[in-house]
Amino acid sequence: FLLMEMHSFWTFLLCLTTLYHKTATLSALLTMRDPSDLLVDASTCSIRRGAVLLSIYGSIFSQMAMALERYCASRNLSTYENSSVQSGLWLNAAHV
């Protein structure tokens, strides 16, 4: 359950960062007077792109953690049902 919550967080963060980036680009596009107004400085670009990339990698790694958890559950079906919450917390900590 916790892994699914973390994946939902990363996906939501990805949606927010993409929406912000596209809104800022659209705003610059609609208010430009000449094409050079679309250019942004390196620090602004790295902040925008960095937030999107962090969200993408977080989403990918959370999917990998869920796949690993499902693999462990399928492989050790008889013992997995009796395992402690500790194994789920370790998987969650590993992907963060």
Side-chain angles (χ1 to χ4, degrees):
F1 179 73
L2 189 59
L3 290 173
M4 194 64 146
E5 292 289 327
M6 288 303 295
H7 181 68
S8 298
F9 166 75
W10 285 115
T11 305
F12 179 69
L13 190 63
L14 177 61
C15 291
L16 283 180
T17 55
T18 304
L19 181 67
Y20 172 75
H21 177 64
K22 298 302 179 184
T23 303
T25 304
L26 180 65
S27 173
L29 186 64
L30 292 176
T31 60
M32 74 174 186
R33 295 182 190 268
D34 59 31
S36 66
D37 291 342
L38 292 177
L39 298 175
V40 295
D41 57 316
S43 62
T44 304
C45 182
S46 64
I47 289 171
R48 285 188 197 170
R49 295 290 182 173
V52 172
L53 285 176
L54 178 73
S55 302
I56 289 171
Y57 286 130
S59 180
I60 290 170
F61 284 124
S62 67
Q63 286 177 350
M64 288 173 48
M66 285 190 299
L68 180 65
E69 189 263 342
R70 289 288 89 206
Y71 173 75
C72 292
S74 298
R75 187 169 173 141
N76 303 321
L77 186 62
S78 60
T79 59
Y80 184 77
E81 294 297 325
N82 298 325
S83 66
S84 66
V85 178
Q86 192 77 15
S87 60
L89 294 176
W90 277 109
L91 284 172
N92 192 33
H95 103 274
V96 172

